[in-house]
Amino acid sequence: MDSFQSDTIFLQGEFLSSEQKILICSSMKTLRDENKLKVLKFWGRISGIVNDYYLLQGFTSDCFRNVKYFYSHDLIDWVRLPRVEPEALRLLDDCTSLFTGIPSHVFTFMSPLDQQEVRLKEEDRLTAAVVVINNEMSIIPRSAFLIGSYNQTMKNKMFKGLPFDKSADQNSYVHFEDLRGSKVMFPLLDSTNTIETDFPPAWKLQHEQEGQVAVVRSQLWPGLTFHHQVDSPVYGWTYFGDGRRNWDICYMI
């Protein structure tokens, strides 16, 4: 596990016990080797009524290609999530029930568009929730990533972190998804598409640990938290929530 990932788990100490962190680190090493992954990181936890889903995200050489997700209830036995289904993406926000924690459970509800009864398997809903949250809410500091000579998306080893004043500015953080398909080495260096421009405003930024860590929290997906250790290349985010979008955000502005 690389340094920023271990530090991110440490910063989430209020959600993970020491035993859980040990189990996660042990599982990550095994899964990374078995699946020949270059990077495997702790993604977060989606809570359920009966069981919680702990999730890992991994990839080989490019952050956008052949991304794999794994889930576990006990942090020992891990199952790879299936490919995301278009129908599950379409129905994700219509299914408002809590996750049960049982992958085979099937939700039955009325589609608000045509008032027809629809069914959605929980495992498919879980995959859709993870993919949507990841695509919409993954953020990084400017210049933290670059595009390599073979158009692969990779971490910028020259990134040394944001100073305190810039770490307190929402314009210093950009959406990771905006890197997709880019062929410019530093595609986000001059980008004006920062989290400051998101509508509706979806983020709260503050400093913790005596100003040493910038913390950015999502209001659209409560439970998603990004951390950046000021003046260092340490950053990362995790999600600890119920997998449901906050549609009341428009009333919170």
Side-chain angles (χ1 to χ4, degrees):
M1 180 165 51
D2 58 22
S3 61
F4 96 83
Q5 183 55 40
S6 61
D7 284 354
T8 299
I9 289 182
F10 171 75
L11 289 166
Q12 292 295 349
E14 65 268 35
F15 297 113
L16 295 172
S17 67
S18 297
E19 181 182 0
Q20 287 174 324
K21 284 183 278 189
I22 291 172
L23 288 173
I24 289 170
C25 291
S26 176
S27 295
M28 287 171 66
K29 183 180 186 307
T30 302
L31 284 170
R32 185 173 56 214
D33 293 343
E34 290 178 349
N35 292 273
K36 299 180 180 178
L37 300 170
K38 181 179 179 180
V39 174
L40 184 65
K41 79 183 202 73
F42 179 69
W43 189 91
R45 182 185 68 204
I46 290 182
S47 57
I49 297 172
V50 179
N51 298 298
D52 294 334
Y53 293 102
Y54 293 89
L55 295 135
L56 302 177
Q57 178 195 49
F59 54 88
T60 51
S61 60
D62 189 287
C63 307
F64 290 118
R65 301 172 187 169
N66 300 317
V67 179
K68 298 178 181 180
Y69 295 99
F70 304 86
Y71 71 87
S72 174
H73 296 310
D74 58 9
L75 301 176
I76 298 174
D77 297 317
W78 294 84
V79 178
R80 184 178 172 181
L81 276 175
R83 288 181 178 273
V84 64
E85 296 290 338
E87 183 70 358
L89 289 172
R90 185 180 72 84
L91 296 174
L92 178 62
D93 288 326
D94 296 336
C95 186
T96 58
S97 301
L98 289 169
F99 280 85
T100 66
I102 303 172
S104 60
H105 177 79
V106 176
F107 296 96
T108 302
F109 52 97
M110 300 297 292
S111 171
L113 291 178
D114 51 22
Q115 293 301 306
Q116 297 292 315
E117 185 177 272
V118 294
R119 295 163 62 84
L120 179 60
K121 184 180 176 182
E122 178 154 301
E123 190 177 50
D124 291 334
R125 181 190 176 193
L126 179 65
T127 303
V130 169
V131 169
V132 169
I133 293 171
N134 197 77
N135 290 350
E136 291 186 3
M137 297 287 105
S138 293
I139 63 173
I140 54 174
R142 284 186 185 273
S143 303
F145 272 72
L146 53 77
I147 307 300
S149 55
Y150 295 99
N151 294 330
Q152 75 274 32
T153 307
M154 59 198 334
K155 290 183 68 175
N156 179 11
K157 295 181 180 180
M158 299 301 292
F159 176 71
K160 303 302 182 183
L162 298 173
F164 180 86
D165 58 337
K166 289 189 178 298
S167 71
D169 184 359
Q170 290 196 16
N171 284 309
S172 295
Y173 305 95
V174 293
H175 287 276
F176 186 69
E177 184 68 13
D178 290 348
L179 284 166
R180 188 186 294 273
S182 177
K183 296 183 179 181
V184 181
M185 179 170 286
F186 293 102
L188 303 179
L189 185 60
D190 299 314
S191 174
T192 58
N193 187 24
T194 68
I195 66 171
E196 175 69 24
T197 63
D198 285 356
F199 185 83
W203 306 93
K204 289 289 186 182
L205 190 160
Q206 66 185 66
H207 280 83
E208 297 181 359
Q209 299 188 23
E210 299 182 344
Q212 297 180 43
V213 179
V215 181
V216 187
R217 293 185 171 88
S218 170
Q219 297 183 91
L220 185 60
W221 290 95
L224 187 139
T225 307
F226 171 88
H227 293 89
H228 173 46
Q229 189 170 315
V230 176
D231 288 319
S232 86
V234 177
Y235 60 89
W237 65 265
T238 47
Y239 176 78
F240 287 82
D242 61 15
R244 298 184 297 175
R245 191 192 304 268
N246 174 27
W247 287 111
D248 293 330
I249 189 172
C250 293
Y251 303 102
M252 298 167 60
I253 300 175

